[in-house]
Amino acid sequence: MLASVFIAVVSLALFWMAAFTLWWQMHAWRTPEVLASTRFSSPDGGEHVSFSLLLPARHEQAVLDHTIRRLLESSHTDFEIIVIVGHDDPDTTEVARRAEARDPRVRVVVDTHGKKNKPKAMNTALPHCRGEVVGVFDAEDQVHPELLAHVDHAFRTTGADVVQGGVQLINFHSSWYSLRNCLEYFFWFRSRLHLHAQKGFIPLGGNTVFVRTDVLREADGWDPDCLAEDCDLGVRLSSTGKKVVVAYDSDMVTKEETPGSLMSLLKQRTRWNQGFLQVYRKKDWKQLPGFGQRLLARYTLMTPYLQAISGVIIPLNVAVALFLDVPVGIAFITFLPAVTAFVTFVFELVGLHDFGKQYGLRVRFVHYLKLVVGGPFYQVLLAGAAVRAVWREQRGRDDWELTSHVGAHLTDTGADTGTVPATGAVTLPVTGTVPAADAVTLPVTGAVPATGADPGEAAATEAAAASRGSREDVPA
């Protein structure tokens, strides 16, 4: 009897957890008005905010030059790019120095810490920032030229202390897991982060995030020992009442690639989960003024614990329902989480269609099939990453496992259609064994002759293609 009660309680808890998570995930699509409010408003043509754009780069020589060139194409006129490289990373430093020599808006700062990670690198650069707003990008990012103008307008019209832009993984058909990884980002940045901002508690994203420089310095920058420094900064700023505005526009998102292997994804997700646990244990979230805010913070930051427990409990519950002699009512209750799982699958199918429509990507029947079939396996991977994160946190292991990038969202591997957008760029559709997207924007280089084209950019693209699959995540 006691076992039956325990099983029923656990099953109901899992059911309600899944139901709440699904409801929050659907936030942006509840009404047309809510969906419209999640986008950037159109700039008015004025420019009153200056930017310091931080670009931490470690072993990113394959993709860094492309990202710098994309940032330099920005239509905004008042910004600087600060590339942060390690003193022990000569290849990336060489790429950064070449960019610095080409354009005075690019500066290079060297991180000399013995034990390196992203927050230490950004803290090294913070005293060098001259702009009124500090923006953060990753070394492989593909940034829209109009993004800064939209962010400038958002700061001026909303009085925000922080503006979080959208980030979107694009190479959805590179592998079965990249499909789900892309959709996760779509739901998180398109919908759920807007809910968090509305509630006054938000774990910020790791890039395309902009913070007023004085606010950032007042907060002493990023926690150098946190594996999720972005989440930590968002929690600390939320706890002190800073205003965060989130905007997602498919035209303005920063495009990125999924991890290149399952092991890379496992390590990345482990690091994020462990970072959330670190932020939970720091207890800054307890300073939030509202009970509902603190409840949301506790649930969000404890998610790795809940995922780890679910990874063990759900298979056990199914086994109990199938093989043990329990009352029919209890057996029925154990399958309640499957109801939310089915509804989630349906929502994901609709979301995948919307994702393809917004980005002009061709979503075929096989992709919907992979989404459904790969769902349970992806949940096993997430549960494994959560268990690994809990284990590492309990053992006191906090080394930074770096996610390598090869430019899967940039590299051209074939063509069947194509259009030419803005000057200095060409859109090339992608096909082949490692597709990145139905169309990606690449800078015009020697492969497509253009006046003033720099062979260094072509070399960067070739290096990205050559390095694909050849690099592993390594502690930094």
Side-chain angles (χ1 to χ4, degrees):
M1 177 62 183
L2 205 59
S4 296
V5 172
F6 174 76
I7 292 169
V9 169
V10 170
S11 298
L12 288 171
L14 291 173
F15 169 76
W16 284 111
M17 282 166 46
F20 276 120
T21 300
L22 177 61
W23 179 247
W24 293 337
Q25 193 166 274
M26 297 171 63
H27 170 75
W29 289 278
R30 291 178 190 174
T31 67
E33 291 75 23
V34 172
L35 186 62
S37 70
T38 62
R39 300 188 179 99
F40 276 112
S41 57
S42 299
D44 55 10
E47 291 183 7
H48 303 285
V49 177
S50 58
F51 293 92
S52 291
L53 308 178
L54 301 188
L55 201 59
R58 181 158 179 80
H59 304 308
E60 300 283 14
Q61 62 270 18
V63 293
L64 177 60
D65 190 66
H66 175 270
T67 300
I68 294 173
R69 290 175 181 272
R70 287 286 295 187
L71 285 172
L72 289 172
E73 291 174 1
S74 174
S75 62
H76 201 278
T77 59
D78 195 355
F79 69 93
E80 62 176 354
I81 301 171
I82 302 178
V83 186
I84 311 128
V85 298
H87 72 286
D88 56 350
D89 185 5
D91 293 335
T92 306
T93 300
E94 181 183 356
V95 175
R97 291 295 185 190
R98 285 203 306 263
E100 183 181 42
R102 283 197 310 263
D103 196 300
R105 292 173 293 177
V106 180
R107 289 190 290 144
V108 177
V109 171
V110 179
D111 175 18
T112 58
H113 288 94
K115 184 179 179 181
K116 291 182 169 56
N117 60 31
K118 183 178 178 181
K120 288 180 180 178
M122 293 189 295
N123 284 336
T124 299
L126 185 56
H128 299 272
C129 294
R130 302 166 181 163
E132 300 166 88
V133 169
V134 173
V136 178
F137 292 99
D138 288 339
E140 83 280 12
D141 284 350
Q142 189 174 4
V143 183
H144 195 282
E146 298 295 328
L147 175 64
L148 295 185
H150 283 73
V151 173
D152 184 317
H153 182 71
F155 271 109
R156 290 185 288 109
T157 57
T158 65
D161 297 298
V162 183
V163 173
Q164 172 71 67
V167 181
Q168 184 59 60
L169 304 180
I170 288 296
N171 55 314
F172 78 105
H173 51 5
S174 290
S175 63
W176 69 269
Y177 66 84
S178 65
L179 179 66
R180 285 199 153 269
N181 204 189
C182 289
L183 210 54
E184 273 187 311
Y185 267 63
F186 184 61
F187 290 141
W188 181 256
F189 284 95
R190 186 75 188 86
S191 182
R192 183 158 173 180
L193 275 186
H194 297 273
L195 171 74
H196 281 282
Q198 179 182 308
K199 299 297 183 183
F201 163 77
I202 181 167
L204 291 170
N207 78 73
T208 318
V209 60
F210 302 85
V211 187
R212 291 193 182 274
T213 307
D214 56 347
V215 170
L216 190 54
R217 286 176 174 155
E218 182 184 343
D220 294 324
W222 295 267
D223 184 339
D225 300 314
C226 186
L227 295 174
E229 82 294 333
D230 44 2
C231 169
D232 174 71
L233 179 63
V235 171
R236 286 190 286 125
L237 295 181
S238 297
S239 299
T240 56
K242 302 303 181 185
K243 183 176 181 178
V244 180
V245 171
V246 179
Y248 184 100
D249 193 314
S250 58
D251 293 331
M252 294 294 126
V253 297
T254 296
K255 297 178 181 179
E256 291 190 343
E257 62 178 316
T258 60
S261 67
L262 278 174
M263 184 55 66
S264 294
L265 179 60
L266 178 70
K267 289 181 177 181
Q268 182 192 68
R269 197 52 59 93
T270 297
R271 174 164 58 84
W272 292 352
N273 283 336
Q274 190 176 354
F276 270 53
L277 296 179
Q278 290 174 335
V279 176
Y280 176 73
R281 292 175 67 170
K282 286 178 64 176
K283 300 181 180 179
D284 289 316
W285 55 272
K286 287 192 172 183
Q287 299 175 25
L288 290 163
F291 174 75
Q293 291 174 307
R294 294 192 296 274
L295 193 63
L296 177 60
R298 184 186 291 272
Y299 177 83
T300 302
L301 298 175
M302 284 186 65
T303 295
Y305 282 129
L306 301 176
Q307 280 187 322
I309 293 171
S310 299
V312 175
I313 292 294
I314 291 177
L316 182 62
N317 265 19
V318 172
V320 167
L322 292 176
F323 302 112
L324 293 188
D325 186 17
V326 296
V328 175
I330 299 298
F332 174 77
I333 290 175
T334 62
F335 282 96
L336 275 179
V339 176
T340 51
F342 174 76
V343 176
T344 299
F345 274 137
V346 173
F347 178 67
E348 288 174 342
L349 291 171
V350 176
L352 180 57
H353 172 77
D354 190 35
F355 168 73
K357 183 178 179 181
Q358 286 199 34
Y359 289 97
L361 303 175
R362 188 176 303 167
V363 182
R364 299 181 175 88
F365 175 76
V366 67
H367 297 128
Y368 292 107
L369 187 63
K370 285 181 179 179
L371 183 68
V372 174
V373 174
F377 299 100
Y378 197 74
Q379 293 306 315
V380 169
L381 184 144
L382 296 182
V387 170
R388 185 168 179 259
V390 171
W391 179 81
R392 281 171 55 90
E393 183 66 7
Q394 295 303 318
R395 293 290 298 272
R397 290 190 56 183
D398 60 354
D399 51 297
W400 189 280
E401 294 182 313
L402 181 69
T403 305
S404 60
H405 302 111
V406 297
H409 59 317
L410 307 175
T411 307
D412 171 43
T413 60
D416 57 27
T417 61
T419 58
V420 178
T423 303
V426 59
T427 298
L428 298 174
V430 177
T431 60
T433 55
V434 191
D438 283 346
V440 296
T441 301
L442 293 176
V444 173
T445 64
V448 184
T451 303
D454 193 321
E457 189 167 356
T461 304
E462 291 168 7
S467 66
R468 181 185 300 275
S470 65
R471 299 177 55 205
E472 299 291 336
D473 280 4
V474 294

